[in-house]
């Protein structure tokens, strides 16, 4: 069921002549962290989590939606049921661009029941949100259409993103030229992993990190383990970024990335200690900026 809301009337009208390609802006780390602070407060006020079917998830969704509505996005809430509880996806379309060439970025907004889920996956949700808000601030008018999404019930098995893809017509699936996924991008002992699914998307992210002189590794831990999988399964080109979960950082990885060898990338993965204290600011900042770079370059 689609519940469409948002400030369509307030949407910024697409300019008659799209602006020339602008360089991607810096995504302010302070803004991304402010979203994480809000998500932490929401979890604290709702039984300590933001899990599917709980009040903390819907409060998280309402927070993100309000920011996007105020910025001029056309937002849609997609409702579904999983494990006898109601779940929600939030879809935000930036007015303008070629509807037959849609560049999407998304992240799951739900946490596990054991904690606030600030790295998993407040980090991805906040980075995607602030990138969407940067598009609005810039009045960016790319050739392609931009769509952003926040998924429900990922922790139950990619339920929300699978529901979205399953309910797209084949024509609408074909209109998506790429889907970029961010799931855990602020891990406290971070690695810099780039999904190696669609070459053009992978190269765009690698180019960004190369520009910073930061080596990356291909992401192998997560094949099929996050919300890019339902898109990949129907032939949509996908990519994404990941800073690591419960795998252990090797000495070689610590030598190139810093941090601590012999410890997990995120030792609070799926635990109650996944709070705002469980974030590496540098990783969060770099991954948010990398997403903005990819959005600007893939939608031009
Ligand atoms: N499935 C994600 C965490 C996760 C584990 N490995 C990867 C690799 C790529 C992206 C995400 C992940 C979750 O627990 O939400
Ligand atoms: Ca930044
Ligand atoms: Zn998780
Ligand atoms: Zn996750």
């Amino acid at each position: 069921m689609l519940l469409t809301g948002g400030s369509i009337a307030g949407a910024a009208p697409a300019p008659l002549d799209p602006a020339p390609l602008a360089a991607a802006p810096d995504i302010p780390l302070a803004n991304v962290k402010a979203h994480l602070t809000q998500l932490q407060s929401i979890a604290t006020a709702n039984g300590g989590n933001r899990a599917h079917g709980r009040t903390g998830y819907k409060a998280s969704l309402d927070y993100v939606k309000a920011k996007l509505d105020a910025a001029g996005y056309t937002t849609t809430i997609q409702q579904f049921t999983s494990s006898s509880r109601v779940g929600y996806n939030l879809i935000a379309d930036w007015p303008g661009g070629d509807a037959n060439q849609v560049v999407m970025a998304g992240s799951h907004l739900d946490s596990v029941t054991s904690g606030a889920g600030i790295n998993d996956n407040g980090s991805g949700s906040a980075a995607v949100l602030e990138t969407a808000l940067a598009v609005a601030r810039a009045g960016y008018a790319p050739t392609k259409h931009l769509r952003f999404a926040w998924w429900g019930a990922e922790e139950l098995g990619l339920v929300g993103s699978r529901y979205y893809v399953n309910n797209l017509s084949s024509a609408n699936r074909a209109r998506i030229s790429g889907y970029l996924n961010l799931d855990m991008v602020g891990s406290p002992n971070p690695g810099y992993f780039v999904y190696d699914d669609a070459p053009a998307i992978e190269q765009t992210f690698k180019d960004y990190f190369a520009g910073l002189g930061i080596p990356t590794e291909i992401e192998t831990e997560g094949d099929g383990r996050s919300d890019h999988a339902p898109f990949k399964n129907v032939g949509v080109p996908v990519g994404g970024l990941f800073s690591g979960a419960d795998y252990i950082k090797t000495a070689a990885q610590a030598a190139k990335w810093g941090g601590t060898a012999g410890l997990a990338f995120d030792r609070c993965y799926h635990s109650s200690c996944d709070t705002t204290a469980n974030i590496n600011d540098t990783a969060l900042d770099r991954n948010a900026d990398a997403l903005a770079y990819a959005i600007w370059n893939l939608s031009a």
Side-chain angles (χ1 to χ4, degrees), residues 87-194:
Y88 308 92
N89 294 324
L90 176 62
I91 314 298
D93 284 279
W94 181 239
D98 181 357
N100 290 311
Q101 298 184 83
V102 179
V103 173
M104 275 191 84
S107 63
H108 75 86
L109 186 58
D110 63 311
S111 75
V112 291
T113 55
S114 55
I118 298 305
N119 186 38
D120 183 21
N121 185 37
S123 63
S125 295
V128 172
L129 173 58
E130 194 57 30
T131 298
L133 296 178
V135 165
R137 285 194 296 267
Y140 186 41
T143 303
K144 299 176 182 168
H145 178 78
L146 293 176
R147 180 174 300 149
F148 299 90
W150 291 262
W151 308 117
E154 185 271 353
E155 300 288 9
L156 280 74
L158 320 182
V159 175
S161 55
R162 199 188 309 273
Y163 183 86
Y164 174 79
V165 171
N166 289 346
N167 283 276
L168 283 178
S169 65
S170 55
N172 281 328
R173 291 174 183 178
R175 291 187 171 100
I176 303 174
S177 53
Y179 171 74
L180 313 180
N181 192 63
L182 269 66
D183 184 355
M184 303 181 72
V185 294
S187 303
N189 188 26
Y192 293 90
F193 299 96
V194 175

Side-chain angles (χ1 to χ4, degrees), residues 23-31 130 134 137 208 285-286 288-289 292 296:
D26 171 71
I27 301 301
L29 172 63
N31 292 10
E130 194 57 30
R137 285 194 296 267
Y208 178 77
D285 190 25
R286 287 170 172 169
D289 290 336
W296 256 254

Side-chain angles (χ1 to χ4, degrees), residues 40 52 58 60 73 88 101-102 105 113 129-130 134 138 149 161 166 196 203 205 220 283 288-289 295 298-299:
Q40 178 70 65
H52 162 71
K58 186 60 167 57
S60 301
Y73 278 83
Y88 308 92
Q101 298 184 83
V102 179
T113 55
L129 173 58
E130 194 57 30
S161 55
N166 289 346
D196 64 334
Q203 193 58 52
F205 281 128
T220 55
D289 290 336
I295 287 291
L298 293 171
S299 64

Side-chain angles (χ1 to χ4, degrees), residues 24 28 38-39 42 46 51 96 106 125 158 228 292:
Q38 288 294 324
L39 295 178
I42 287 168
N46 288 275
S125 295
L158 320 182
H228 59 300

